[in-house]
Amino acid sequence: MRTINLNAQIKVYERREELPAELADLLKQADDAARNAYCPYSHFQVGAALQLANGEVFKGSNQENAAFPSGLCAERTALYYAVANHPDTAIRRLAVVAVNPANPLTEPIVPCGNCRQSLLEYEHKFGQNIEIIMAAEHGPIYVANSVADLLPCSFTNDYL
Ligand code: THU
């Protein structure tokens, strides 16, 4: 018998003022995106801002639906818009933030499993890590160097 150790690091910044400027700027755009969330069922507003390698930024927010599974997370709304329109440009980073007016969050939101899997696909496609910045309105900010760090032991096209 042997064991496989899965190690990953997430950087924690206690305040937004501590973030490198380009990360703070992208996070601010994610804040803006959260205002466009359509979330009449959960009232949980999520905003994402995705920056391509050429510097261009695409924003997304969660879009819910009366038929629950038909809705989509903020991260994938931004991701699929970006790659559908710029299929040949790598993704540099993505910032995601959540606002929950009923129960203000003090810990960062982290992308759900579906979003991690979707983002990982493009890390592989472009052969370039995607930095993930995670935040709430207040409290610390998490920064992961890559999607692979958030989804260790993952299923990829290497298996196909
Ligand atoms: N949501 C996101 O947009 N991103 C995540 O990473 C987690 C959850 C959305 C989906 C749904 O509209 C609401 O938050 C509550 O789950």
Side-chain angles (χ1 to χ4, degrees), residues 129-143:
N129 68 299
I130 304 172
E131 192 177 32
I132 307 289
I133 301 121
M134 298 156 274
E137 267 182 297
H138 306 288
I141 300 101
Y142 294 167
V143 179

Side-chain angles (χ1 to χ4, degrees), residues 38-39 42 44 46 61-64 72-75 96 109-112 115:
Y38 175 65
C39 51
S42 73
F44 190 80
V46 186
S61 53
N62 52 330
Q63 300 296 320
E64 298 183 349
L72 197 64
C73 291
E75 297 93 316
V96 59
I109 185 179
V110 293
C112 77
C115 288

Side-chain angles (χ1 to χ4, degrees), residues 46-50 58-64 68-85 91 94-96 109-122 132 147:
V46 186
L50 178 148
F58 294 90
K59 294 192 265 191
S61 53
N62 52 330
Q63 300 296 320
E64 298 183 349
F68 281 10
S70 303
L72 197 64
C73 291
E75 297 93 316
R76 275 175 291 159
T77 306
L79 171 69
Y80 287 134
Y81 183 82
V83 294
N85 287 284
I91 300 165
L94 176 139
V96 59
I109 185 179
V110 293
C112 77
N114 260 323
C115 288
R116 294 179 199 203
Q117 183 73 33
S118 302
L119 286 158
L120 186 69
E121 182 75 21
Y122 295 92
I132 307 289
V147 182

Side-chain angles (χ1 to χ4, degrees), residues 2-65:
R2 62 191 176 96
T3 56
I4 297 172
N5 292 317
L6 305 172
N7 291 312
Q9 283 190 345
I10 291 178
K11 285 174 275 195
V12 181
Y13 294 86
E14 294 305 333
R15 277 169 293 282
R16 287 185 180 219
E17 300 79 64
E18 293 175 12
L19 281 174
E22 66 271 26
L23 273 57
D25 186 60
L26 196 65
L27 189 50
K28 211 163 177 311
Q29 299 196 63
D31 291 334
D32 292 343
R35 293 197 197 100
N36 293 338
Y38 175 65
C39 51
Y41 307 105
S42 73
H43 304 291
F44 190 80
Q45 303 159 19
V46 186
L50 178 148
Q51 186 181 48
L52 297 180
N54 66 10
E56 233 179 315
V57 173
F58 294 90
K59 294 192 265 191
S61 53
N62 52 330
Q63 300 296 320
E64 298 183 349
N65 194 284

